[in-house]
Amino acid sequence: MEKKNDKLMIIIAGLIIGVIAAGLAFLGNPKNMGFCIACFLRDTAGGLGLHRAAPVQYIRPEIIGIVIGAFCAAFAKKEFSSKGGSAPMTRFVLGFFAMVGCLMFLGCPFRMILRLAGGDWNAIFGLVGFAIGILCGIFFLKNGYSLKRTYSLTKAEGYILPIMEVVIFVLLLVKPAFIFFSEEGAGPGAMHAAIGASLAAGLVVGVLAQRTRLCMVGGMRDMILFRESRLLLGFLAILVAAFVTNLVLGGFHAGFAEQPVAHTDGLWNCLGMLLVGFACVLLGGCPLRQLVMSGEGNADSAVTVLGLMVGAAFCHNFGLASSGEGPTPAGKIAVIIGIVVVALIGVVNTYVKEEKTAADAA
């Protein structure tokens, strides 16, 4: 009975989140981007001046809301726990390359679902690559991959990222000269719902994602490894709810060409999301889950979020990010390098560890 209740809860949460996500696009966010953790971290990095790509500079209240919402939910349920120390630099690198993959595809796993719900069939190639990447990660999990244990930290350590988000929100409201904003009509950064609506949406999603442990990567991983469908049902519910909401609000436009903030290169959509799926399995969660865990006090997830932001800044400073015109040559090279680096991280933390253990035993 408890298992059925858990599934019902995550389905209801997914339906609510799907409606919110499609509703945000109707209220002003870019089409098929009511929520995109990767794109919104990229925009926030631009707003803070970490990159100077004028079309994508805006501090996204949704990101702030997710972290604070997860923090409040965890604190209320006495689940807030400061911990970390599980290969933080490796997690930073994995977060960095996960962002490289996201900006090749132009979206995180969350947005991949929302693109499908809006009729963007290019996301099908992304979904195929994402599934292949998860299978690559599962191969290492089955063979003993581990980034080792986490350790209890002082409570102050877990408060740092939520406090940073509050400070960033104040900067959004005050708008000092050193904060950047995309000019109206300049690109995705200039498209956004009202601050209050965006923050409220983020808070709700943060609470729901914290309570249900919602994670696209975890959903597909658990389905493949354990035939457990609970987490995956949440994202299927998001897909259905966003699709229906798009139909009602006129946001569904099926096809490949001229989709918002998307390109039609199927191979690189696939490879970009392959890198995302692969890296996120080794991280233990998708970008949304990393944000939520950082709100719960997980310093390793906070480091991963910083890796995602630095990755976004790097992609736009060095011409790695795709656009509606398609992927760049430098972006293609970066994705291939990313796949190789993530595979090496898998090998080092699976087989090299085992060899060392065997040598110590001898």
Side-chain angles (χ1 to χ4, degrees):
M1 180 62 72
E2 185 177 347
K3 197 171 184 179
K4 287 184 179 179
N5 288 339
D6 285 346
K7 287 185 176 181
L8 179 60
M9 181 178 176
I10 200 168
I11 289 171
I12 292 172
L15 292 173
I16 294 170
I17 292 172
V19 171
I20 290 173
L24 281 175
F26 180 76
L27 293 174
N29 279 12
K31 301 302 179 185
N32 296 346
M33 200 191 292
F35 270 96
C36 176
I37 307 306
C39 299
F40 288 2
L41 286 173
R42 171 205 63 197
D43 293 353
T44 300
L48 295 173
L50 300 181
H51 69 73
R52 299 304 170 91
V56 285
Q57 293 178 315
Y58 178 66
I59 293 173
R60 292 283 180 178
E62 294 90 344
I63 295 293
I64 298 166
I66 290 172
V67 175
I68 301 303
F71 170 81
C72 292
F75 209 84
K77 288 290 185 178
K78 297 183 179 180
E79 294 177 356
F80 181 87
S81 175
S82 292
K83 56 188 177 182
S86 173
M89 286 307 299
T90 297
R91 292 179 186 277
F92 181 92
V93 172
L94 287 170
F96 179 97
F97 281 111
M99 181 60 81
V100 170
C102 286
L103 293 184
M104 170 58 72
F105 171 71
L106 292 176
C108 66
F110 198 163
R111 187 177 184 234
M112 177 178 66
I113 295 299
L114 296 179
R115 284 174 61 174
L116 287 171
D120 182 356
W121 303 147
N122 297 295
I124 295 172
F125 294 100
L127 182 60
V128 171
F130 187 61
I132 294 172
I134 287 175
L135 287 173
C136 292
I138 286 174
F139 169 81
F140 288 104
L141 292 182
K142 284 185 171 181
N143 285 279
Y145 170 85
S146 172
L147 292 181
K148 298 185 179 179
R149 59 165 293 186
T150 60
Y151 299 87
S152 295
L153 304 173
T154 62
K155 283 190 175 181
E157 192 76 18
Y159 293 151
I160 291 176
L161 190 67
I163 291 172
M164 287 174 60
E165 295 294 345
V166 172
V167 172
I168 291 171
F169 184 65
V170 172
L171 293 176
L172 172 64
L173 295 178
V174 176
K175 299 182 180 179
F178 57 83
I179 297 298
F180 295 83
F181 294 87
S182 297
E183 295 182 6
E184 188 173 350
M191 304 175 189
H192 49 81
I195 291 175
S198 297
L199 179 64
L203 288 168
V204 172
V205 171
V207 170
L208 292 176
Q210 195 280 329
R211 297 311 308 145
T212 60
R213 308 297 190 262
L214 189 67
C215 178
M216 182 69 175
V217 168
M220 296 186 74
R221 177 202 62 207
D222 290 354
M223 189 65 188
I224 294 169
L225 279 177
F226 312 116
R227 298 296 185 267
E228 173 53 63
S229 63
R230 177 183 168 277
L231 292 176
L232 195 58
L233 287 173
F235 272 89
L236 290 175
I238 292 174
L239 174 64
V240 171
F243 168 69
V244 172
T245 306
N246 282 329
L247 285 178
V248 172
L249 299 178
F252 182 82
H253 303 284
F256 289 94
E258 299 182 0
Q259 291 290 345
V261 197
H263 62 79
T264 58
D265 193 320
L267 173 62
W268 290 99
N269 277 324
C270 179
L271 290 176
M273 288 308 289
L274 186 156
L275 175 55
V276 175
F278 194 179
C280 287
V281 169
L282 299 191
L283 278 167
C286 65
L288 172 63
R289 183 68 185 141
Q290 298 301 326
L291 274 183
V292 169
M293 289 194 294
S294 69
E296 295 173 334
N298 191 317
D300 292 330
S301 291
V303 170
T304 301
V305 171
L306 294 179
L308 288 164
M309 292 189 72
V310 172
F314 196 95
C315 284
H316 280 283
N317 285 331
F318 294 93
L320 310 183
S322 298
S323 68
E325 302 298 317
T328 67
K332 294 177 181 180
I333 294 170
V335 167
I336 297 302
I337 291 173
I339 292 171
V340 172
V341 169
V342 172
L344 287 174
I345 288 173
V347 169
V348 167
N349 290 280
T350 305
Y351 301 107
V352 174
K353 175 194 66 176
E354 290 179 356
E355 291 174 6
K356 183 177 179 182
T357 301
D360 290 344

